[in-house]
């Protein structure tokens, strides 16, 4: 049985990674302290991206962001 691999839009992926990179401490590009304003902005942005892709978005008891599509 062949393995299905989704086609990745590299430009779109890079643009999204670039956007997330803007949500960090300016002199420490790798840092986004949990539950800081930058962290919450990133989570909110990601939740909106999930919704735009047609996913149902929720946060579980451990505050994980989860996107799912009905029937899958």
């Amino acid at each position: 049985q062949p393995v299905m691999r989704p086609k990745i839009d590299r430009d779109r992926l890079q643009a999204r990674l670039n956007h997330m990179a803007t949500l960090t401490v300016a002199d420490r590009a790798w840092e986004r302290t949990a539950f800081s304003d930058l962290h919450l902005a990133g989570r909110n942005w990601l939740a909106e991206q999930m919704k735009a892709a047609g996913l149902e978005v929720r946060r579980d008891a451990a505050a994980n962001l989860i996107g799912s599509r009905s029937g899958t």
Side-chain angles (χ1 to χ4, degrees), residues 19-53:
H19 178 76
M20 285 301 291
T22 68
L23 301 173
T24 59
V25 177
D27 61 341
R28 294 183 307 243
W30 62 89
E31 185 173 317
R32 190 178 307 114
T33 303
F35 304 108
S36 66
D37 289 343
L38 290 171
H39 177 254
L40 297 175
R43 287 173 60 91
N44 291 337
W45 176 82
L46 183 56
E48 290 304 315
Q49 296 297 304
M50 290 177 171
K51 289 176 187 174

